[in-house]
Amino acid sequence: MSIYKKDYRYAKLTAFYALNLSNFNMGTHHHSSCEIMYVTTGSCEITVNEQTFILKEKEFIFLDSFIPHKLMVSQQCTLLNIEFLVEDAISDFDLEPLKNASVSYKEISLIKPMFIVSNDSRSLGYAIKDLINLLTNAHSDPSEIKFLTNILFQRMILELFHSLASEKSTKGIRYINKAITFIQNNLEDDLNVPKIAGEVGINKSYLHQLFKDYTSYSIGEFISKKRLERACFLLINSNKSITEIAFQAGFNSRQYFSNTFEKNLSISPRDYRKLHGQNLESSTINGQLRLNNNNWSLTKMK
């Protein structure tokens, strides 16, 4: 499953190889495991979502789970490959401490890219080699092997996050981040692709392509999703009318808002509020409770 899913903190290896290939063709396929393909010598061709990339020495591709892809090698190429499954059930490697400690992971997980092609920014290649060498030449005590495998796997994931968040691989992500921030800060305005592209500083075709590459939404779908999220928050946490919420979330009419809301959530805004809302009537005697010297004191609101 996806490496970005918060509830999925455990991982286990499902496949690996280090091979010198030539005239090799693996047709389009996908699997539940995440995958890293790393070129140490030569080059290969990877196709993902009808986009083709040429990977050369010290370049790699990371694929999240269930991403269709194919591999073609037309000349000598040495490839390192690691596949690992991320799941919620307790398994071989606990990724939670690493995820919490890694700034790079936090940056990447905001975007949740389906795949990234990048250069090795530090020591990913060495980390993969050391892990594969251990797995193929294990002669120590099984408990030691398990301990070392955990260390080397965690090291590989840390190096992966570092490379994914490096300057070269995150140029597009920074554009996406900037676009997302602009969208979230201007949901109530008339948002359109040319306006967003102009704010980000790229052309609209490239912006469209980035959204396709790094998210599972088109720009329009993403805007609608964020507007519905804001509307849901306001329905639960405010006493504003449905009409006020519609306009504050960026919908140009109450009717359009209600139709869109019901189409996507299978419930009307009014019924959603009844189901999830809270009574927000005054309960602090027209004042603000403030903590002073470990005691709550009431300050009257003017």
Side-chain angles (χ1 to χ4, degrees), residues 50-106:
E50 300 182 351
Q51 296 183 72
T52 298
F53 305 90
I54 305 298
L55 298 188
K56 299 179 181 179
E57 185 174 339
K58 294 186 177 180
E59 294 180 341
F60 71 93
I61 185 169
F62 168 73
L63 296 152
D64 201 24
S65 57
F66 296 110
I67 306 303
H69 58 283
K70 65 179 180 179
L71 166 67
M72 187 172 72
V73 179
S74 57
Q75 56 182 331
Q76 291 296 119
C77 176
T78 303
L79 267 176
L80 306 179
N81 176 275
I82 292 282
E83 295 179 22
F84 58 93
L85 189 66
V86 182
E87 53 192 358
D88 56 349
I90 296 176
S91 191
D92 297 340
F93 315 115
D94 185 356
L95 298 179
E96 190 72 8
L98 186 151
K99 288 181 177 182
N100 290 335
S102 173
V103 175
S104 300
Y105 170 76
K106 292 171 184 176

Side-chain angles (χ1 to χ4, degrees), residues 172-232:
I173 289 178
R174 288 199 300 274
Y175 287 137
I176 288 287
N177 271 330
K178 191 173 181 180
I180 288 174
T181 299
F182 179 75
I183 289 169
Q184 291 176 328
N185 291 339
N186 296 276
L187 284 174
E188 68 278 11
D189 295 339
D190 181 20
L191 289 171
N192 56 62
V193 175
K195 181 186 290 186
I196 299 168
E199 180 67 24
V200 174
I202 57 177
N203 66 58
K204 59 183 182 180
S205 297
Y206 184 37
L207 182 63
H208 272 300
Q209 190 61 56
L210 286 175
F211 263 84
K212 289 293 185 182
D213 289 348
Y214 289 106
T215 77
S216 57
Y217 302 101
S218 69
I219 298 172
E221 289 170 340
F222 184 83
I223 292 171
S224 181
K225 176 177 180 290
K226 290 302 175 182
R227 283 174 168 162
L228 288 171
E229 287 176 359
R230 176 176 287 184
C232 288

Side-chain angles (χ1 to χ4, degrees), residues 95-126:
L95 298 179
E96 190 72 8
L98 186 151
K99 288 181 177 182
N100 290 335
S102 173
V103 175
S104 300
Y105 170 76
K106 292 171 184 176
E107 180 181 347
I108 291 297
S109 63
L110 289 173
I111 304 301
K112 301 178 176 61
M114 297 180 291
F115 69 93
I116 288 185
V117 175
S118 180
N119 293 314
D120 186 352
S121 65
R122 192 164 61 184
S123 301
L124 177 61
Y126 289 111

Side-chain angles (χ1 to χ4, degrees), residues 154-167:
Q154 299 274 2
R155 173 196 173 199
M156 180 193 71
I157 297 298
L158 187 61
E159 292 294 339
L160 173 66
F161 290 157
H162 186 274
S163 289
L164 296 184
S166 68
E167 183 176 355

Side-chain angles (χ1 to χ4, degrees), residues 220-221 223-229 231-232 246 250-269:
E221 289 170 340
I223 292 171
S224 181
K225 176 177 180 290
K226 290 302 175 182
R227 283 174 168 162
L228 288 171
E229 287 176 359
C232 288
F251 295 91
N252 56 21
S253 73
R254 172 172 173 161
Q255 186 61 47
Y256 177 61
F257 166 60
S258 296
N259 290 342
T260 303
F261 195 97
E262 192 158 354
K263 179 181 178 181
N264 285 271
L265 280 76
S266 300
I267 189 173
S268 71

